Amino acid sequence: MSNEAMKLSSGTDVPVTAQEIFVQVRAIVPLLRENSERIEQKRQLPVAVVNLLRNSGVFRAAMPMTWGGPEMDSMQQTELIETIATGDVSAAWCSMIGMDSGIYSGFLAQDIARKLYPRLDMANSGWIHPQGRADRVAGGFNVSGNWRFGSGISHCDVLVAGCLVFNGGVPEADPVSGAPGHWRVIVAVPDDFQIADTWHTTGLAGSGSQDYSAQQLFIPEENSFSFTKPYRLGPLHSAPDAILRKMSGVPLGMARACLDYVRGLTPHRQDRESKTPWVHDMRVQSALARAEMELAAARASVYASLKSQWERLAAAQTFSIDDRVSPALARYNAFKTCRNIVRSMYDLVGGASVYRKSPMDRWLRDAETMCQHAVAQDSILQLAGNVLVGGESASPFF
């Protein structure tokens, strides 16, 4: 890492306001880009890169103003992740997960939250899907399970895990909604778990999304939460999908970086067969224009749906059917559209794309891997479509 990067990574004056964080993050984008190959080779974020993000205020993005945090809204969080992704996609993915600290802290009793998150710049990691089992005992739970996709687990300060609660060997119903299955997320630290080096993947290699497990780990009940019972008011906590809203920033930033890269190649290339300079090649012109159009449309849909959702939540307004599904559909579309953009640019660049040192190769593999996440699966269309025709949602997130 360059001397400039080392200087930034060792800084002590962490930005406080949202505006200051954005200024700092824009400054580190070239440094993240410079270290992309190293990030991928290590299969996790190097310590210096983690420090760049931490000292830029990334992990405190959603921390509440009452604690001294910037409490960015969902649109700002998405834009922050989008900016980071123009530098490095794995760094953006870890940042997206890491800044969940501020969101999760709002679902805990606030005295407990301050104990679990004593500093604003603490990074979160963990898999909230109820893959584990929490057996109720005096004062809390004995937790056992195996969880996957612990993105950023090598540098996280807090590690969460989703569980279903059992009482006397019988599954509990949710105490607030009465629905079958009491889903709780336990909040612990990495040392409480066994971490397995499983992250050998097609893309997002630098996210270090390892598996982790526990057997009969005691967790006090107050160190766990349910998305049905927020303790902090406001749009970041009145709907459980807040942790998903910023995800679109990753593919949007990746596609932006890819397009900028290919446009930068244009003055220096010509078609191998026709010898037509790219700047005069109608095929290249059309491909770039189409990609820019598709990216602009996908991006506009993401931010418009987030803004509408935020305003309705802030005003405690009832959601229409369309309101309920539009953020999820915009997010799904962003992932799929941005993957298609990267694929089209990969084909446009041709043979030069296939080399591992090419950012085109990394973007393609990252795009394919991120589209395997649950938010980008075709089941989202079925779930949303069911709601659109008057059915009940099978997802807790819309």
Side-chain angles (χ1 to χ4, degrees), residues 60-245:
R60 68 169 55 193
M63 285 295 190
M65 291 182 181
T66 54
W67 292 8
E71 200 170 340
M72 291 186 187
D73 61 35
S74 294
M75 296 76 76
Q76 290 173 313
Q77 291 179 38
T78 304
E79 186 179 357
L80 188 66
I81 297 303
E82 183 180 9
T83 303
I84 296 168
T86 63
D88 182 77
V89 180
S90 287
W93 193 269
C94 288
S95 297
M96 178 264 296
I97 300 292
M99 68 172 65
D100 280 337
S101 301
I103 299 174
Y104 292 151
S105 69
F107 289 93
L108 295 155
Q110 292 306 279
D111 58 332
I112 301 300
R114 289 315 313 255
K115 291 178 182 178
L116 295 173
Y117 297 96
R119 303 179 305 281
L120 293 181
D121 299 296
M122 297 178 70
N124 237 102
S125 179
W127 179 245
I128 63 167
H129 183 78
Q131 198 73 30
R133 173 175 175 140
D135 285 287
R136 189 176 288 281
V137 295
F141 308 102
N142 283 335
V143 173
S144 299
N146 295 279
W147 297 268
R148 303 171 69 191
F149 307 121
S151 301
I153 200 169
S154 63
H155 64 258
C156 74
D157 303 289
V158 176
L159 186 56
V160 302
C163 300
L164 287 177
V165 177
F166 287 74
N167 193 345
V170 179
E172 274 191 359
D174 186 277
V176 176
S177 67
H182 183 186
W183 172 25
R184 292 193 76 78
V185 178
I186 62 125
V187 184
V189 296
D191 287 346
D192 288 334
F193 298 88
Q194 292 77 52
I195 299 172
D197 184 8
T198 54
W199 196 242
H200 299 271
T201 57
T202 300
L204 289 177
S207 68
S209 304
Q210 311 285 8
D211 292 5
Y212 58 108
S213 62
Q215 292 296 322
Q216 297 296 301
L217 169 65
F218 176 74
I219 297 291
E221 184 164 11
E222 61 268 24
N223 290 14
S224 69
F225 65 86
S226 167
F227 285 112
T228 61
K229 187 181 179 182
Y231 283 84
R232 196 179 300 145
L233 301 177
L236 280 182
H237 306 98
S238 53
D241 74 325
I243 59 171
L244 304 180
R245 296 175 201 162

